[in-house]
Amino acid sequence: MRLSTKGRYAVTAMLDLALNGTEGPVTLADISENQGISLSYLEQLFAALRSKGLVRGVRGPGGGYYLGREADEISIADIICAVDEWVEFTRCKGRQNCQDGQRCLTHSLWDDLSQQIFIFLSDITLQDLVQRGEKREAERLEKKAATAAVSKVVGLKGRAA
Amino acid sequence: MRLSTKGRYAVTAMLDLALNGTEGPVTLADISENQGISLSYLEQLFAALRSKGLVRGVRGPGGGYYLGREADEISIADIICAVDEWVEFTRCKGRQNCQDGQRCLTHSLWDDLSQQIFIFLSDITLQDLVQRGEKREAERLEKKAATAAVSKVVGLKGRAA
DNA sequence: TAGTATCCGAGCAAATTACTGGGTAATTGC
DNA sequence: GCAATTACCCAGTAATTTGCTCGGATACTA
């Protein structure tokens, strides 16, 4: 799992789509204008998103992009995975002492952590973000609840400080 | 919050330190060997970690690195923040329509998300990962022992007619 | 047929990643 | 003191990624 600016661009663009695409498709030119991302870079991102079925393009005048699925069926993890491909962190493949021994322990631990972050981001949908935008008053409470829920799901209790 | 390979390297190295540094300091050469990271790159990472007080270096023969604090006082977020500086996603700073309007809504939403991930990673300490590793190791040994015991009982031979 | 917009791909500047190689400073054992 | 060891430091640099410019082709609307 990676969290880079590329992924942020994609999430931001998809969020723009979810917010403004309620009636009719949204053009990349609009998103480019709104979010300050170059059109060609958006095209690249949306090519990846399209190949994963996360968006649906409509050509011609009046065209643009729709979400490929309902907003509550698209998770942040879906988006990030579509544009930021998953790099395996298995440098030790084939190295000695790295089969089942202590050497590789840290690697598998990181993989676990990565997996948990993935689960975390899989539980947040575009719809969640839209709703968060709609009601900002309960923001802090919601955040707290979300974090608690995640801890519960993930099962990794933190230090009780 | 960013999640890059650089951060992974740092977390993995710190985990190595937590695992192998129980008696005496650990040299970067060892970590380099264990984790397959170049020595000089480790030096760069550890310079950043040291400046944040996450590790403590000891020079001379028999020297190396200690954790700067107890393992349960070092979070994954601490480590990642030390090496992967926090890039603000505020491209829109100064752009029109981006003060408090709809245009900037997606940005603040992402900031919220980023914050949640930060909180999530702040709640996971090195100690948590070590314990997870121990548990995993224990399960593995247990499984092996159980398998061995079963083999002994069953005999592991003969046609299971 | 003209205009709009997605699609597509080559190329490129800037930044980041990860490394090489040159050292210096502190500490240890002889 | 002397040599070995290790952290520490810094300049350079190849490889990769990021984000963009440019020039098109294809599909659709009017």
Side-chain angles (χ1 to χ4, degrees), chain B residues 12 28 30 67 79 86 109-110 112 122 126 130 132 136:
Chain B
T12 308
L28 290 189
D30 284 344
L67 290 181
I79 298 169
W86 196 281
L109 279 172
W110 175 267
D112 283 353
S122 295
L126 273 185
V130 168
R132 279 180 70 83
R136 168 176 290 232

Side-chain angles (χ1 to χ4, degrees), chain B residues 26-28 43 50 57-62 64-65 91:
Chain B
V26 181
T27 68
L28 290 189
E43 285 179 352
R50 202 174 72 89
V58 177
R59 290 183 174 186
Y65 278 97
R91 271 219 165 193

